[in-house]
Amino acid sequence: MPAYDETIDNPHSERIRRVGDLKERRSRIRHGRFLVEGPQGVREAVSCRPDAVLDIYATVADPQTEPGKEGLAGPSAAASCVPPSPSAGPAVSGPRRAADLPATLGGTVVPIVRQALEVGGIYVHYVTDRVMKAMSKDSQGILAVCRTDAMTGPEGSGWTQAAGPVAAFWQVRDPGNAGTVIRTADAAGCRCVVFVDDCVDPFNPKVVRSTAGSLFHIPVLSMGTEDFMSWCRSSGFDLVAADVYGTEGRPPTPLPDFLEGPSTGGRATAVLFGNEARGLPADILTRTDRIVSIPIYGKAESLNLATSAAVLLYSMAMSGGFHVESY
Amino acid sequence: MPAYDETIDNPHSERIRRVGDLKERRSRIRHGRFLVEGPQGVREAVSCRPDAVLDIYATVADPQTEPGKEGLAGPSAAASCVPPSPSAGPAVSGPRRAADLPATLGGTVVPIVRQALEVGGIYVHYVTDRVMKAMSKDSQGILAVCRTDAMTGPEGSGWTQAAGPVAAFWQVRDPGNAGTVIRTADAAGCRCVVFVDDCVDPFNPKVVRSTAGSLFHIPVLSMGTEDFMSWCRSSGFDLVAADVYGTEGRPPTPLPDFLEGPSTGGRATAVLFGNEARGLPADILTRTDRIVSIPIYGKAESLNLATSAAVLLYSMAMSGGFHVESY
């Protein structure tokens, strides 16, 4: 078996350990890489942002327990050469041609691996189940290592150019919430997501999983409160805070009234949501253009962050207050 | 120290073990009891459905490590007698009067315990931190044991009489989702929640926690698919399925068109959502009156169940398609 087709079977190797370490924020910052786990996320990464993908790891059945099976992966649609990624480190495995897919590759990941090989520049490695589990418990047979800098730079050609509002979240802390609001903002046609101030890392593996691929559909930016305020001012955004209480002398406008209110005369909107437990502080609320609250029609005390974002962003999208493209 | 004021300090006692066992569905069914963990849930149970609450367990500092502190709990608003609950088993602890609150009771639970003692019929037990942890890791210092039959019977006087739609969920399986949709349905003014077919147990502790108290605001019923269909027919509900694809020859109506469409002429609406992964099967879709889909304005493949429910139930509430009371 040629070297480029070898299956990585040592879960203690330096390469495998370093991929697994990307679960830690410290390692993500040091190496400028992050993990994408599972077929849905890897597929969207390869389809929408292949420039961000460095390596793909896919589980194959252990060659020592299932030898000699070949050809089950079917014919390849193309057989373009894939040069080793210069930043991927020393090549220890991985086929160079799409035609070379191992027969023991799991069925759901075959089209993803094939696309990765065809698109070029992505290095594919085959690993045993034990090696995969050493890197991730949530891979479902496939994971990708991506470049952080490709995701945080200015909006590039790989990004959607949706015309919806900016969806901004101040001090969002729960990874599941953060991922869900990215997915919701994507679905509602937002132009980007901004994590403001001290938020969970958007490249935390649980955030990435919870976005269900939306991380690769719209830009997710991180910035401090002052930078966010300056950006809103210089961009001419109508800054709307989502808040139940408002500030003294400035009660919030209920969402139905807000939706029927005057338009912003062509100005784009930025909607800012607060922390899951504490909402937005008064000194931020006073600096917004408008405050909007979601009415409670029953007895619930409040809505959680993900629900609030869904209701507000979608009602804005459906009210036609901004131009959106349907895909 | 009188017997009724004793702190339970044995985590291995029969009573404590039985409370902890309520985390298991089998025990909940056998004993007709379920657990409510944390101040928010217990407070809503005591405030809105005291008839369902049998026992409250609250953590006090270990009397052997902090002896002699008294009076920090402040004066009591009332001092009504609380008879031991007949179904609570042998009384091994618990004060009989609200004035007797131990000084070592945690500050956030004091008003809840006081209200429970004043309302009557609820038996309050004080336990050490070690005993509490043996019952629940998620109690935040307080938990309640409630009667299942009080929650699943016909709508009683304790229930809200909201006029919104029935929010029904077919084969919802994830406890966090189930709790969140109950909370959302409550906030959107729904009249009740129905779990249809093989769903997660609504009395699963994680479901209860995720409702943030809404379990005690609106009825949550469970029934089979045929019973649900019969109930919708006999009640004259306009049965609306939430589904992305529809069935052959019967595409879904996009939500914005649905909201602007003709009213149901006074008929109440029941909205049925499908399983998280598989949606609704064709044989159920064909038996609904209408099918509605939530448009995707960006590149996301789909919305998750909780987001779909938030968007659809809230847009119905805000469109004024049904009468709702604001609290």
Side-chain angles (χ1 to χ4, degrees):
Chain A
M1 196 176 275
Y4 61 80
D5 222 12
E6 257 171 29
T7 298
I8 306 179
D9 60 1
N10 176 10
H12 307 295
S13 76
E14 174 71 9
R15 164 182 286 269
I16 297 308
R17 195 184 54 70
R18 273 165 52 186
V19 173
D21 282 350
L22 295 177
K23 288 195 278 287
E24 305 300 326
R25 185 169 195 163
R26 201 179 40 190
S27 282
R28 292 195 293 275
I29 291 171
R30 183 185 304 156
H31 300 294
R33 308 271 185 275
F34 67 100
L35 275 183
V36 183
E37 299 160 301
Q40 190 175 27
V42 177
R43 187 181 62 235
E44 295 308 297
V46 169
S47 298
C48 302
R49 296 300 311 275
D51 57 305
V53 186
L54 293 169
D55 299 86
I56 284 179
Y57 294 83
T59 306
V60 292
D62 190 330
Q64 280 158 355
T65 58
E66 288 196 57
K69 283 192 192 167
E70 272 180 45
L72 294 181
S76 167
S80 56
C81 284
V82 179
S85 166
S87 52
V92 297
S93 77
R96 290 208 164 79
R97 297 187 303 150
D100 291 338
L101 294 193
T104 51
L105 202 59
T108 54
V109 309
V110 166
I112 306 170
V113 168
R114 183 162 289 145
Q115 187 176 6
L117 291 170
E118 286 166 9
V119 85
I122 300 173
Y123 212 77
V124 178
H125 313 264
Y126 301 122
V127 301
T128 61
D129 188 53
R130 203 160 66 105
V131 169
M132 183 60 91
K133 287 210 166 67
M135 294 188 286
S136 162
K137 302 274 184 281
D138 300 287
S139 74
Q140 298 173 63
I142 192 163
L143 63 77
V145 174
C146 294
R147 291 189 299 124
T148 311
D149 63 353
M151 306 298 291
T152 52
E155 302 189 19
S157 58
W159 293 119
T160 173
Q161 296 299 323
V166 172
F169 300 88
W170 183 81
Q171 291 195 358
V172 57
R173 295 283 166 79
D174 178 75
N177 273 344
T180 302
V181 297
I182 291 172
R183 182 176 176 185
T184 301
D186 173 20
C190 293
R191 66 180 63 196
C192 68
V193 171
V194 185
F195 283 1
V196 182
D197 204 276
D198 188 19
C199 290
V200 62
D201 178 10
F203 303 110
N204 171 309
K206 190 170 177 196
V207 176
V208 176
R209 283 201 308 278
S210 302
T211 70
S214 287
L215 187 65
F216 302 101
H217 298 160
I218 56 169
V220 178
L221 314 170
S222 294
M223 58 182 86
T225 303
E226 292 311 315
D227 285 346
F228 175 71
M229 291 293 177
S230 302
W231 182 56
C232 287
R233 264 197 310 275
S234 64
S235 305
F237 293 145
D238 180 41
L239 180 55
V240 176
D243 192 79
V244 180
Y245 305 108
T247 59
E248 215 176 309
R250 198 159 161 247
T253 306
L255 180 56
D257 300 339
F258 173 86
L259 295 171
E260 291 177 5
S263 87
T264 56
R267 282 169 76 194
T269 301
V271 188
L272 180 62
F273 297 87
N275 170 269
E276 290 97 335
R278 291 170 291 120
L280 285 167
D283 65 314
I284 288 184
L285 285 172
T286 53
R287 297 166 70 187
T288 59
D289 296 307
R290 297 192 277 176
I291 304 174
V292 62
S293 67
I294 299 172
I296 302 284
Y297 297 99
K299 287 181 181 171
E301 210 173 293
S302 63
L303 295 171
N304 69 24
L305 175 64
T307 305
S308 301
V311 170
L312 185 39
L313 296 175
Y314 248 90
S315 62
M316 289 177 72
M318 292 197 300
S319 75
F322 54 88
H323 169 72
V324 288
E325 290 164 51
S326 234
Y327 291 82
Chain B
M1 195 177 276
Y4 61 81
D5 222 10
E6 256 171 31
T7 298
I8 306 179
D9 58 3
N10 177 11
H12 308 295
S13 76
E14 174 72 7
R15 165 183 285 269
I16 297 307
R17 196 184 53 70
R18 272 167 51 189
V19 173
D21 282 350
L22 295 177
K23 288 193 279 287
E24 305 300 325
R25 183 167 196 164
R26 201 178 41 189
S27 283
R28 291 195 294 275
I29 290 171
R30 183 185 305 157
H31 300 294
R33 308 272 185 274
F34 67 100
L35 274 185
V36 184
E37 300 159 301
Q40 188 175 28
V42 177
R43 186 182 63 234
E44 295 308 298
V46 169
S47 298
C48 302
R49 296 301 310 274
D51 57 305
V53 185
L54 293 169
D55 298 88
I56 284 179
Y57 294 84
T59 305
V60 291
D62 190 330
Q64 280 158 354
T65 57
E66 291 195 55
K69 282 191 192 168
E70 272 180 46
L72 296 179
S76 167
S80 56
C81 284
V82 179
S85 165
S87 52
V92 297
S93 77
R96 289 209 164 78
R97 297 187 301 150
D100 290 339
L101 294 193
T104 51
L105 202 58
T108 55
V109 310
V110 165
I112 306 170
V113 168
R114 182 162 291 145
Q115 186 176 5
L117 291 170
E118 286 167 8
V119 85
I122 300 173
Y123 211 75
V124 177
H125 314 264
Y126 301 122
V127 301
T128 60
D129 187 54
R130 203 159 67 106
V131 169
M132 183 59 90
K133 287 210 166 68
M135 293 188 288
S136 162
K137 302 275 184 279
D138 300 288
S139 72
Q140 298 172 63
I142 192 163
L143 61 79
V145 174
C146 293
R147 291 189 300 122
T148 310
D149 63 353
M151 306 298 293
T152 52
E155 303 188 19
S157 59
W159 291 119
T160 172
Q161 297 298 322
V166 172
F169 300 88
W170 184 82
Q171 291 195 359
V172 58
R173 295 283 166 79
D174 178 76
N177 273 345
T180 301
V181 298
I182 291 171
R183 182 177 176 185
T184 300
D186 173 19
C190 292
R191 66 180 63 197
C192 68
V193 170
V194 186
F195 283 0
V196 183
D197 204 276
D198 187 18
C199 290
V200 63
D201 178 11
F203 303 111
N204 171 309
K206 190 171 175 194
V207 176
V208 176
R209 283 201 308 277
S210 301
T211 70
S214 287
L215 186 65
F216 302 101
H217 297 160
I218 57 170
V220 178
L221 315 171
S222 294
M223 57 183 84
T225 302
E226 291 313 314
D227 285 346
F228 175 71
M229 291 292 177
S230 303
W231 182 57
C232 286
R233 265 197 310 274
S234 64
S235 305
F237 292 145
D238 180 41
L239 180 55
V240 176
D243 191 79
V244 180
Y245 305 109
T247 59
E248 214 175 310
R250 197 161 161 247
T253 306
L255 180 55
D257 299 341
F258 174 86
L259 295 172
E260 290 178 5
S263 88
T264 58
R267 283 169 76 194
T269 302
V271 188
L272 180 62
F273 297 87
N275 169 269
E276 290 96 334
R278 290 170 293 118
L280 286 167
D283 65 315
I284 289 185
L285 284 172
T286 54
R287 297 166 69 187
T288 59
D289 296 305
R290 295 192 279 174
I291 305 174
V292 62
S293 66
I294 299 172
I296 302 283
Y297 297 100
K299 287 181 180 170
E301 210 173 293
S302 62
L303 295 170
N304 69 25
L305 176 63
T307 305
S308 300
V311 170
L312 186 37
L313 297 174
Y314 247 91
S315 61
M316 289 177 71
M318 293 198 297
S319 76
F322 55 88
H323 169 74
V324 290
E325 289 164 53
S326 232
Y327 291 82

